[in-house]
Amino acid sequence: MGSIAVKIQKEKRFQDIEEMNRRLGHRGELHNEILNHGILALGTNTNESQNLMKNNPSVEKQGLIIAIDGEIFDQEQLKKEFPKDKIDTTIELIAALYRRDFTKFLPRLNGDFVIFIYDKHRDIAIVARDAFGVKPFFYTNNTKDGSMMMASEIKAFIGSDSFKKELNNKALSSYLSFQYAPGPGTFFEEVYALAPGSYLLIDVGRNCSYSIEKYYEYEMHPIKGDQKELEEQLITVLKKAVERRRSPGMGSFLSGGIDSSLITTLLMPEKTFSIGFDEETGIFDESIHAKELADILGIENIKYELTGEEAFEKLGEIQYFADQPHGNLSTVPLYFLANMAKKHVDSVQSGEGADEFFGGYSSFIDGPQMRKYKKLPLWFRKGMKSIAKNQKGKKWQQLVEAGSDVEEYFIGEAKIFTEQESRSVLRPPYDGGHGTDYYTKPLYQAYRQYSDLQKKQMIDIELFMPWDILVKADRMTSSCSLGIRAPFMDREIIEISASLEDSMKSRDGISKYLIREMAKNQLPEEWVKRKKLGFPVPMKFWLLRTNIYEQVRSYFVSDMAKEFFETKKIIKLLNDHYEQKAMNQRYIYVIFAFLKWYEEYFIKR
């Protein structure tokens, strides 16, 4: 866990680098450094001493300044390529690889990282982000003094007087559909996220002109394989991935799902961490199953019981740490889970990536009803689609999908407002942003030769995973400087997933088929068969409480809301839910999350 902040400015006035770095202090609480060199200033925070700049004077002698946020998990193997060099730290390894290969070493790295390199001799800077975007990075030229700034989180820019803090008016409409801000654009004008698997090459001496190069592309290449051999291969590599990420005293997040249960069983930590809710348990409380598995394994399970009142009290803080508006309901319990875990351990392992790469989401597979619909003639299904598209409800939506190509309806695992609904609740100029097709059409075109399942996976791998799932995991754990490592994001595991046929991901309505079959030798049968719940949150019940309803309503009728929304329409969504005429919790929360975020970044700060 750590952070990087950079400012490049010809006038060499770097007083604000300290404030930029301070605003990222939650990402690495043990060490911080500031380095000024010529027209470049660099600040770092870290919990890993081997990533400190001052511990690597030999690297500076080579004309390099290097910082890294994250870890390279195969570095011991890479060090063997330099038998004549004394390489002790990650930064020394990066320096050796860079001197030998320039940027060609990047595709070889198995890790979660952002790497910053300033080459004094060439007067260039390079920033590389890991293959799938586990670690974040942003950059901007939208400054009053012509400087260029880069940082692990956007909030660092707010710490500089140079930054022009302006809202990107085009971001809100797509956010209401996706529940997150799809990159590389952001909610801040002319602030961009560095895309996963890419590096930024900056000509420091020439007004910071830059180019972006892609160094890694995930491509599926299914080959027929023996199931038993694949199971053995997967468990072998997963064990290695867990061990690569192990550190002393590490814990694990544990729900009732198969992914975290597998990781916990392989890691066997002393402590596991789960979250439950004050009431409305049942399908909303996986902590019961987590405790059962912990008891079977003989390890401690620590549970946090979250109330609706606590959740809403902290929503402003949660949105502040999220950096951009984040409408994923599970962000809320994850924030409390991470802060509880930090009281006991410094790092945890978690299950991110398994669903995207191995076909775990329910939207990837056809349920029994959908399978029946698809047996009907296509001409009949298309006729039913024309009737159903103007109706509301899950069954009507299934009829629409049964008569449609996947490109027509699937925008990812998260889908809140339709594009038409989004524009109808927004006021000008916020209703004029990019539609969902802007993000999905190029991907569908790029992967047009893939099966429907593979297309859905790629939409989520390219959109939902880097801009929602990994953002949620990174920001909520970094809010309290808790390290998080995701073994299913290991490059060796991802390479296995790329080679799988569809039947190894989904079969007879069973999701994550290969993982479930492999897990039969690792977990009790009940855990293998259990359906994915996806960190459910009882938001629909919380919004029925008068005190919470009144809190949300006060925001929906505020002058702040009137700037962005047709308030009569959003109040109707809220009232219809409160009066139990409809279940609008996801619509309500995605709007409320934006308003809380805007208040944090444009009113309070």
Side-chain angles (χ1 to χ4, degrees):
M1 182 61 65
S3 68
I4 298 170
V6 181
K7 187 175 184 184
I8 305 174
Q9 183 178 2
K10 284 187 176 181
E11 286 77 10
K12 303 181 184 180
R13 295 194 298 268
F14 297 119
Q15 298 89 337
D16 47 6
I17 192 68
E18 291 190 7
E19 179 60 19
M20 290 173 65
N21 203 47
R22 186 192 69 79
R23 295 201 179 209
L24 300 180
H26 54 279
R27 295 189 64 89
E29 60 186 5
L30 297 184
H31 311 280
N32 66 80
E33 290 184 356
I34 301 291
L35 187 150
N36 291 316
H37 180 85
I39 65 172
L40 182 144
L42 171 66
T44 61
N45 295 285
T46 182
N47 288 337
E48 305 289 338
S49 59
Q50 67 168 342
N51 293 344
L52 287 173
M53 296 176 290
K54 289 177 182 174
N55 281 4
N56 295 275
S58 62
V59 173
E60 280 207 57
K61 287 180 182 177
Q62 300 160 19
L64 301 174
I65 296 173
I66 299 175
I68 178 170
D69 169 22
E71 297 172 279
I72 310 298
F73 298 117
D74 57 349
Q75 61 180 297
E76 295 306 317
Q77 187 66 30
L78 291 169
K79 287 176 183 178
K80 294 177 183 177
E81 298 178 14
F82 303 93
K84 296 181 181 179
D85 297 338
K86 186 178 184 297
I87 297 177
D88 296 320
T89 68
T90 308
I91 285 180
E92 289 168 348
L93 173 63
I94 297 299
L97 289 166
Y98 173 80
R99 286 198 317 272
R100 188 187 69 185
D101 302 329
F102 191 48
T103 60
K104 291 181 180 179
F105 72 93
L106 291 170
R108 301 180 59 206
L109 300 182
N110 184 358
D112 308 331
F113 58 81
V114 167
I115 296 170
F116 173 85
I117 303 171
Y118 175 54
D119 186 331
K120 301 176 188 177
H121 301 309
R122 291 173 170 164
D123 204 15
I124 61 171
I126 294 168
V127 189
R129 192 176 179 201
D130 63 71
F132 293 98
V134 176
K135 294 292 182 179
F137 203 74
F138 300 88
Y139 61 96
T140 185
N141 286 322
N142 194 20
T143 56
K144 302 168 187 174
D145 55 11
S147 61
M148 182 177 190
M149 296 191 294
M150 299 172 277
S152 297
E153 294 183 14
I154 299 171
K155 58 180 61 65
F157 303 151
I158 312 296
S160 171
D161 291 337
S162 303
F163 180 54
K164 296 178 184 177
K165 187 176 67 172
E166 301 169 318
L167 184 70
N168 176 7
N169 294 344
K170 295 180 179 180
L172 187 52
S173 58
S174 56
Y175 159 78
L176 291 183
S177 293
F178 287 116
Q179 81 179 12
Y180 57 86
T186 72
F187 264 85
F188 294 89
E189 191 68 33
E190 295 183 48
V191 174
Y192 302 99
L194 179 59
S198 301
Y199 67 87
L200 196 63
L201 178 60
I202 306 159
D203 192 332
V204 175
R206 294 188 178 181
N207 296 318
C208 292
S209 61
Y210 65 84
S211 61
I212 300 170
E213 302 291 338
K214 191 80 172 171
Y215 72 83
Y216 178 83
E217 294 279 2
Y218 176 76
E219 295 180 348
M220 295 184 186
H221 44 85
I223 55 175
K224 191 170 183 63
D226 179 79
Q227 181 177 319
K228 290 300 178 186
E229 290 180 3
L230 286 169
E231 289 175 27
E232 291 174 7
Q233 184 183 7
L234 181 57
I235 190 61
T236 298
V237 174
L238 183 57
K239 286 178 179 177
K240 284 172 60 179
V242 168
E243 288 304 311
R244 282 171 175 157
R245 288 157 178 79
R246 185 186 293 273
S247 61
M250 170 178 270
S252 71
F253 288 158
L254 180 59
S255 68
I258 190 172
D259 306 327
S260 65
S261 297
L262 261 174
I263 288 168
T264 298
T265 300
L266 297 178
L267 182 66
M268 286 299 290
E270 290 184 7
K271 299 179 188 297
T272 61
F273 305 95
S274 309
I275 197 154
F277 301 100
D278 53 343
E279 53 183 275
E280 297 95 22
T281 54
I283 65 166
F284 289 101
D285 197 342
E286 291 186 291
S287 65
I288 300 167
H289 305 306
K291 179 68 165 61
E292 289 174 358
L293 182 63
D295 288 344
I296 291 170
L297 297 176
I299 55 182
E300 184 179 3
N301 178 250
I302 303 172
K303 172 183 174 180
Y304 190 91
E305 195 168 88
L306 178 61
T307 70
E309 284 69 24
E310 278 183 297
F312 275 80
E313 181 184 351
K314 289 290 186 178
L315 279 183
E317 193 170 308
I318 289 168
Q319 291 301 318
Y320 171 75
F321 280 115
D323 231 20
Q324 298 190 76
H326 208 284
N328 190 326
L329 292 173
S330 61
T331 304
V332 178
L334 183 55
Y335 172 81
F336 288 90
L337 181 63
N339 278 267
M340 175 187 70
K342 179 61 179 178
K343 295 176 182 177
H344 302 272
V345 297
D346 290 323
S347 60
V348 294
Q349 291 198 16
S350 189
E352 281 77 18
D355 291 312
E356 288 80 7
F357 291 114
F358 289 89
Y361 292 121
S362 60
S363 57
F364 289 170
I365 60 177
D366 292 336
Q369 192 65 44
M370 181 63 79
R371 292 200 292 273
K372 288 180 182 177
Y373 288 151
K374 287 191 174 179
K375 289 180 181 178
L376 298 170
L378 181 60
W379 63 267
F380 182 80
R381 284 186 276 136
K382 287 188 176 292
M384 290 301 297
K385 168 191 168 183
S386 64
I387 298 171
K389 66 182 181 181
N390 296 318
Q391 307 297 322
K392 289 188 176 182
K394 187 175 181 180
K395 288 186 177 180
W396 290 108
Q397 179 61 30
Q398 285 184 328
L399 285 171
V400 171
E401 293 179 10
S404 306
D405 293 328
V406 64
E407 293 87 343
E408 296 179 66
Y409 66 86
F410 188 79
I411 68 167
E413 177 63 16
K415 182 179 180 181
I416 314 299
F417 287 88
T418 66
E419 191 171 321
Q420 183 179 358
E421 289 170 338
S422 171
R423 298 192 191 285
S424 73
V425 299
L426 290 171
R427 292 173 54 82
Y430 308 101
D431 59 347
H434 295 307
T436 54
D437 281 355
Y438 176 84
Y439 301 96
T440 59
K441 269 194 173 180
L443 298 176
Y444 278 122
Q445 178 63 23
Y447 304 115
R448 59 189 178 278
Q449 75 277 18
Y450 285 7
S451 69
D452 283 358
L453 171 58
Q454 292 165 350
K455 287 175 182 176
K456 288 181 177 181
Q457 284 184 271
M458 291 307 301
I459 291 292
D460 274 350
I461 288 169
E462 296 274 3
L463 292 174
F464 184 57
M465 188 174 71
W467 309 121
D468 186 324
I469 292 296
L470 295 179
V471 170
K472 175 185 71 172
D474 175 83
R475 303 305 193 283
M476 295 304 101
T477 54
S478 68
S479 72
C480 56
S481 198
L482 177 72
I484 186 170
R485 295 166 187 148
F488 279 107
M489 299 296 298
D490 192 275
R491 285 281 290 276
E492 286 193 57
I493 291 178
I494 288 165
E495 287 167 10
I496 293 173
S497 77
S499 70
L500 296 179
E501 295 180 294
D502 285 1
S503 61
M504 290 291 105
K505 302 168 188 173
S506 170
R507 187 180 298 185
D508 299 326
I510 299 172
S511 64
K512 276 186 297 200
Y513 180 78
L514 182 64
I515 287 182
R516 293 184 188 279
E517 290 297 299
M518 175 266 288
K520 287 180 178 179
N521 294 323
Q522 310 296 325
L523 295 171
E525 183 179 4
E526 183 184 347
W527 272 259
V528 175
K529 292 183 176 180
R530 186 174 295 130
K531 291 183 178 180
K532 179 179 179 60
L533 294 182
F535 219 160
V537 181
M539 184 63 69
K540 68 179 182 181
F541 295 110
W542 287 346
L543 289 168
L544 297 178
R545 299 178 186 176
T546 301
N547 58 333
I548 291 176
Y549 162 79
E550 292 292 351
Q551 181 183 342
V552 176
R553 191 178 188 282
S554 69
Y555 276 78
F556 278 23
V557 300
S558 67
D559 290 339
M560 176 174 59
K562 291 173 185 176
E563 166 70 17
F564 304 102
F565 298 101
E566 297 290 347
T567 51
K568 287 183 179 179
K569 292 183 178 181
I570 64 173
I571 291 168
K572 186 177 189 310
L573 287 171
L574 178 63
N575 287 341
D576 283 353
H577 184 92
Y578 186 63
E579 294 166 10
Q580 302 188 51
K581 295 177 182 177
M583 290 194 297
N584 292 332
Q585 67 272 13
R586 294 185 73 196
Y587 299 97
I588 294 164
Y589 183 73
V590 77
I591 294 170
F592 189 59
F594 166 76
L595 293 173
K596 294 295 284 189
W597 171 84
Y598 184 82
E599 181 181 51
E600 290 292 324
Y601 277 90
F602 285 89
I603 295 177
K604 290 184 176 180
R605 292 174 171 84

